[in-house]
Amino acid sequence: MTETGKPDRPVLELARSAPYWRWVLATMLLRLPPIMAPMAFVLVSMDYRGGPGLGGLLVGAALLPGVVAGPLCGRLLDRLGTEKWTPRALVLGAVARLLLAVAFLEGAATWVLFACVIVGTVITSGVSGATRTLLNKTVPPHLIGPALSLDSIAVEIVVVTAPFLVALSSLADPIYALIAMGVATLAGAALLHSRSRETVPAQAAVPAATEADEAAVEEPADRPVAAATSLWRNRRFLFWVLVTLAFGHLLGTADTGVLPRVAEDGGGSTAAAILTGTLGAASAVAGLAYAWYANRIRMSFVRQAVLLLVAMIVSSLVIASVDGYWALILSFLALGLWTAPLNTVMNEAPGHIVPESRMTEAFSTLVSAQSIGFAFAGGLLAVVPVAHMLLLGSATAVLTLVAAPLLLSPRRPRSTVVRPEPQREYAR
């Protein structure tokens, strides 16, 4: 219930929020280029350089530098000003992506192609963290959780849409896929520009690292003052880094292991696509449900994360051990049910324990951690049998649960309040 006595309907509040939907559209546009890149690079390489090899190398150049540079660029955006410099970084990244298309058209040297990809990747590597920071300035505190849950649905839409967009834009010439990536980045920059964004009042913005917020994640209060400005000495933040790493590893195991898993039973790409679609659909439904009921959950973020992580571990182990296609469908369905809620929790909780001056750096670090977890799953598939790779999918999650008591051991009882209550000016 809100302070006016009316029911708390976060999804309906967000549905009426134009600033939020501008933020959603911006993040969807900005997620398209990284997801389009692998297919687009390979297609344009085959068409303009006679084979897929260069495309594969460009895919690596688009992934690895971003993982390393993400936290550093996030820190830089924090110092320069996230609201002002995020659109500027995106414009520069869009120019680099458009120059890549020109370089292919002009038959430029290979090093020029790599330079365009690496520069575009590094410049925009802090943007994912920045958009999460900007969400705090777009919706009131009690809508952050529901907003992130709905954003999980948007992620699934982008993942499904991106390959079709590459295929459609490449009908005339694969170069148009690269142009589409640059245009999407420019459009996202325009939507995030301060003149096109309405923000919540300063007093309603999500506070960072306050006493009440520390209680929300059940952490000790007697930490050194210096830790308030240091992410790597903040044990609470390190816990969420591990959770995000484990989350990426679990999903990466499911996504990269699904095709070889069904191949063992005589299935092909269609069967694998159905399993991946089942996971995505279940995640979208769970995300919508969590968005609707998130504000009614009185359990702390840490407890939610632990329970959801355990559920994902069990689902992953079932995927590795069951026989039969229908059993696999049910297993992927179960895994999807926990995906969006955990994604929401691990993207909301750190915002309450990280200083505002390090917010973009923190969320960029989490994005890098998830990418590392996903890449770890692919690396395991390259060196161990698929059965062992699937069994090891929950290894980082188990290690996270083992490390949790060391990182989160409270020294005195704490409240379990998990989200700010709706402010009067936002009550419906």
Side-chain angles (χ1 to χ4, degrees), residues 24 35 62 83 150 207 210 329 399:
V24 169
I35 299 175
E83 288 188 85
L150 293 180
T210 64
I329 289 180
L399 292 176

Side-chain angles (χ1 to χ4, degrees), residues 324-368:
Y325 189 65
W326 281 106
L328 279 176
I329 289 180
L330 294 176
S331 303
F332 272 78
L333 175 65
L335 183 64
L337 290 177
W338 323 120
T339 299
L342 181 55
N343 185 60
T344 301
V345 169
M346 71 188 195
N347 277 287
E348 182 179 2
H352 295 278
I353 59 174
V354 172
E356 188 174 359
S357 62
R358 308 292 291 271
M359 195 77 74
T360 302
E361 179 189 2
F363 287 116
S364 297
T365 300
L366 294 178
V367 171
S368 294

Side-chain angles (χ1 to χ4, degrees), residues 252-289:
T253 298
D255 286 345
T256 61
V258 59
L259 183 56
R261 175 67 177 84
V262 297
E264 291 181 344
D265 296 332
S269 57
T270 300
I274 291 174
L275 291 176
T276 303
T278 299
L279 191 155
S283 178
V285 171
L288 181 59

Side-chain angles (χ1 to χ4, degrees), residues 83-176:
E83 288 188 85
K84 180 183 294 185
W85 279 92
T86 298
R88 296 177 181 179
L90 286 168
V91 170
L92 293 175
V95 170
R97 284 166 176 162
L98 292 173
L99 286 177
L100 177 63
V102 175
F104 265 109
L105 281 173
E106 297 297 324
T110 300
W111 72 266
V112 175
L113 304 178
F114 275 95
C116 290
V117 171
I118 293 173
V119 169
T121 297
V122 170
I123 288 176
T124 58
S125 61
V127 167
S128 295
T131 54
R132 172 60 185 86
T133 299
L134 292 175
L135 179 62
N136 290 356
K137 304 176 185 297
T138 303
V139 300
H142 70 285
L143 294 182
I144 294 293
L148 290 169
S149 295
L150 293 180
D151 185 55
S152 297
I153 301 175
V155 171
E156 300 296 342
I157 294 174
V158 172
V159 169
V160 172
T161 303
F164 290 100
L165 182 58
V166 172
L168 181 64
S169 57
S170 298
L171 287 177
D173 192 311
I175 210 72
Y176 287 113

